Amino acid sequence: MISKWFKLQEHQTTVKTELIAGLTTFLTMVYIVIVNPGILGDAGVPFDAVFMATIIATVIGTLWMGLFANYPIAIAPGMGLNAYFAYSVVGGADNISYVVAFGTVFISGILFMILSLTPFRKKLIEAIPANLKHGITAGIGLFIAFIGLRLTGLVVSHPANLVGLGDLHSPTVILTLVGLAITLVLMALNVNGALFFGMLATGAIAYFTGQLEFSKGFIDAPPMPEAFIFGSPITALTDMIQYGLYAVVFSFLLVTIFDTTGTMIGVAEQAGLMKGNKMPRARQALLADSVATTAGSIFGTSPTSAYIESSSGVAAGGRTGLTSVVVALLFILAAFFSPLVQAISGLAAITAPTLIIVGSLMLGSLAKIDWNTLDEAFPAFLIILTMPLTSSIATGIALGFISYPLLKGVKGKWREVHPLVLLFAVLFFIQLAFLPH
């Protein structure tokens, strides 16, 4: 039954291989269960809500991917978007509550679902210039790495230069540097689950140095989730209109589409599952992410994305959705470790090395930008520069989209600007100039 459903023979794999691949992928990405509550907790979201929402969104999206798309690709709340949610949308100048912000995530999930069912999704992906896409990825990388540095005191406010080096004798800073070193060594040695094991090692050091306590134990029954944390779909829509959060919804939607599509194609190519330049069952695969984002917002987490860590499972031999099903089942098991996760996620020095390292990995997109062409390079540079400096993914995207057609127009290359890009540029200009942001 299992072999027939997942077409194991057709993909030249076995149940044992898929089980090992699923465990490998789980170990490389389970850090999100610890990191996500830590980040969204800074926005005031209760731990129990984020923890269970992270599990629920991951299980729903990954099961959908495995059962209906038959790909060895896992879905979970995306790094970068969780930081944007916590420190820009909620922690920004407009004093938006996390309840309202979850409503915008819900709307972006619904829109993503609609786009996944229509040809417009493909047109949107093709319309956005490649250099802007690479700039968005790199900008988010710098954004979350900077957050990791700031949360632990490695970087602090400076009266003259805005930021400066923190106190290197601080126990938190020392623990962060030790954790970063341990994790980098594990990654250099190609240890599967290096980020996760790095956090565990850092947590152990924190425990023996008195910085970490497990007052609630390690294992407990999963906390009961609260559905529709933002009220109702109608409330989400009216809040978006009242607070003018159109750019936030668009940013969530745009980044999720590009991140998910790029990751899915990359993992599918690695697994040899692409048919020419096309990805079979792409609609079902994209629906997995959009459904997970929508479900996650209902219970209390930021948008989901396909995880590049899935490539570790593919490297271990995973070729079908059975790998994803194994990952989902292991995340269900992780739901019983909420006291352990709550203790670890509450200490920034344990999770910050993961933010810094993931940020550095995302900067690989810099190599793909055409730096020799000003009208292509500068808009990408503007995105990369402004995302961390303004603590806003939306602002970075907006400035990139506005500057791109302007530079193309000056150089007489209007025909290279897709009408959708021009439309977004106008909308972003109106939003920055006349609406709250």
Side-chain angles (χ1 to χ4, degrees):
M1 180 67 178
I2 292 178
S3 178
K4 186 176 180 180
W5 180 274
F6 295 104
K7 301 179 181 179
L8 300 184
Q9 292 182 347
E10 180 181 325
H11 292 94
Q12 299 179 341
T13 184
T14 64
V15 172
K16 179 181 178 181
T17 299
E18 297 292 302
L19 290 174
I20 294 173
L23 176 61
T24 302
T25 297
F26 172 76
L27 288 175
T28 58
M29 64 176 289
V30 68
Y31 68 85
I32 191 61
V33 176
I34 299 173
V35 174
N36 207 40
I39 292 176
L40 296 191
D42 287 344
V45 189
F47 170 82
D48 285 352
V50 185
F51 177 74
M52 284 309 299
T54 301
I55 298 288
I56 291 170
T58 301
V59 170
I60 289 176
T62 306
L63 273 181
W64 188 295
M65 181 70 73
L67 296 175
F68 302 116
N70 199 24
Y71 280 114
I73 301 172
I75 304 290
M79 292 292 291
L81 287 174
N82 50 7
Y84 172 56
F85 178 100
Y87 304 113
S88 296
V89 181
V90 178
D94 296 325
N95 293 318
I96 301 299
S97 72
Y98 69 80
V99 173
V100 172
F102 281 132
T104 65
V105 177
F106 176 81
I107 293 172
S108 70
I110 295 296
L111 291 175
F112 189 14
M113 203 180 301
I114 294 171
L115 290 178
S116 298
L117 294 170
T118 66
F120 185 75
R121 172 194 56 81
K122 181 180 178 182
K123 293 181 180 179
L124 179 61
I125 293 172
E126 293 174 348
I128 310 303
N131 288 296
L132 290 187
K133 297 175 189 175
H134 300 322
I136 290 171
T137 301
I140 292 173
L142 277 181
F143 178 47
I144 64 175
F146 179 68
I147 288 171
L149 294 172
R150 185 169 58 82
L151 285 177
T152 56
L154 267 169
V155 169
V156 296
S157 299
H158 190 281
N161 301 320
L162 297 182
V163 293
L165 183 64
D167 180 11
L168 296 181
H169 296 95
S170 163
T172 301
V173 171
I174 293 173
L175 181 62
T176 303
L177 293 174
V178 171
L180 183 61
I182 292 172
T183 309
L184 287 172
V185 168
L186 292 174
M187 293 189 71
L189 295 175
N190 296 318
V191 174
N192 284 326
L195 292 174
F196 175 66
F197 290 124
M199 283 193 293
L200 289 184
T202 309
I205 295 172
Y207 176 76
F208 288 113
T209 56
Q211 298 182 61
L212 178 64
E213 295 181 357
F214 298 102
S215 57
K216 297 182 180 180
F218 299 93
I219 301 175
D220 197 2
M224 289 298 295
E226 177 187 347
F228 284 100
I229 197 168
F230 50 81
S232 70
I234 299 299
T235 303
L237 185 61
T238 54
D239 284 344
M240 180 192 72
I241 296 172
Q242 178 182 347
Y243 293 99
L245 299 174
Y246 309 105
V248 173
V249 171
F250 182 69
S251 296
F252 281 144
L253 178 64
L254 197 65
V255 174
T256 303
I257 288 176
F258 293 154
D259 191 20
T260 295
T261 305
T263 299
M264 286 181 182
I265 291 174
V267 175
E269 284 180 346
Q270 179 189 357
L273 301 175
M274 297 289 287
K275 304 295 183 182
N277 291 324
K278 295 183 178 180
M279 183 178 178
R281 305 177 304 282
R283 178 174 294 179
Q284 293 91 327
L286 286 166
L287 276 173
D289 190 23
S290 58
V291 169
T293 291
T294 306
S297 67
I298 289 173
F299 293 100
T301 189
S302 48
T304 61
S305 178
Y307 262 54
I308 193 62
E309 285 83 354
S310 303
S311 60
S312 64
V314 170
R319 292 294 181 272
T320 73
L322 182 55
T323 295
S324 298
V325 171
V326 173
V327 173
L329 293 176
L330 289 171
F331 268 98
I332 292 175
L333 184 62
F336 291 88
F337 291 86
S338 61
L340 174 64
V341 173
Q342 184 172 13
I344 294 176
S345 64
L347 186 58
I350 298 176
T351 56
T354 297
L355 294 176
I356 297 167
I357 292 172
V358 171
S360 73
L361 296 177
M362 295 178 74
L363 286 176
S365 296
L366 290 172
K368 302 175 184 177
I369 297 174
D370 181 9
W371 294 108
N372 296 318
T373 307
L374 180 65
D375 48 304
E376 291 286 343
F378 189 80
F381 165 75
L382 205 54
I383 292 172
I384 296 165
L385 179 69
T386 54
M387 277 190 185
L389 294 184
T390 63
S391 296
S392 173
I393 291 175
T395 301
I397 293 174
L399 294 176
F401 270 77
I402 292 171
S403 61
Y404 186 84
L406 286 176
L407 285 173
K408 287 293 183 182
V410 170
K411 299 200 72 173
K413 298 180 180 179
W414 278 110
R415 293 182 180 178
E416 295 183 14
V417 182
H418 194 283
L420 281 176
V421 175
L422 194 58
L423 173 62
F424 292 148
V426 172
L427 293 176
F428 272 128
F429 176 79
I430 293 172
Q431 198 271 333
L432 286 179
F434 304 109
L435 298 174
H437 55 84

